[in-house]
Amino acid sequence: MVSFRRPSGQVTAVVLALAEEPATWRYAFELCHRLDLKAGSLYPALMRLADRGLLATAWESEVPAGRPLRQLYRLTGPGRALAGELAAAPPAPANVAWVVGGVGRRPRLAGT
C-alpha cells in the first residue's frame, strides 16, 4: 500500500488515465489531449510521479524521420497500487472552495 497524501486533481487524473491500460506506454502529448491539460501542468505531474517511483519512463525505440524522439510513460507496481487507492477513494467534495471574508478575517467555506 502506497502512503502518500492525496495528490492534486491533475495528478489523480494522470494516474487514473494511465491505470486504464497499465501495461501500455503513453506519450505526454496523448495525455495532454485526453485529459485537456496544458503541458505546463502535465509535465511537472509526470516528473513528480517518476521521482517517487510511481511512473516508469522510457525513450521511444523507433523514431520516424523528421520527428523528434519522444518519452513514454506507464505506471509501476506502486503506481498501480496508488491508482487502486485513488479509484476506491470517494471524490473530493465539489463545494470545498475557500473564500476570504475580508482583511483580517478567517477563511470560511463557500456558502456558509
Side-chain angles (χ1 to χ4, degrees):
M1 171 108 64
V2 179
S3 60
F4 291 109
R5 64 186 171 130
R6 183 165 181 88
S8 71
Q10 292 168 339
V11 171
T12 299
V14 170
V15 169
L16 293 177
L18 289 169
E20 289 175 2
E21 295 179 50
T24 303
W25 289 97
R26 303 281 184 82
Y27 301 107
F29 185 75
E30 171 193 351
L31 292 169
C32 280
H33 284 284
R34 184 163 186 275
L35 300 173
D36 196 28
L37 291 174
K38 297 202 182 289
S41 298
L42 179 66
Y43 282 104
L46 291 171
M47 293 304 100
R48 280 193 301 273
L49 290 167
D51 288 346
R52 293 179 179 151
L54 301 170
L55 198 64
T57 64
W59 288 101
E60 182 173 57
S61 59
E62 296 178 21
V63 181
R67 188 176 53 77
L69 189 65
R70 296 187 294 185
Q71 197 164 15
L72 303 162
Y73 304 90
R74 73 176 176 192
L75 293 175
T76 61
R80 291 177 187 175
L82 175 63
E85 290 177 19
L86 293 173
N95 64 348
V96 181
W98 289 95
V99 177
V100 177
V103 177
R105 299 177 108 181
R106 298 182 75 182
R108 59 183 172 80
L109 283 175
T112 59

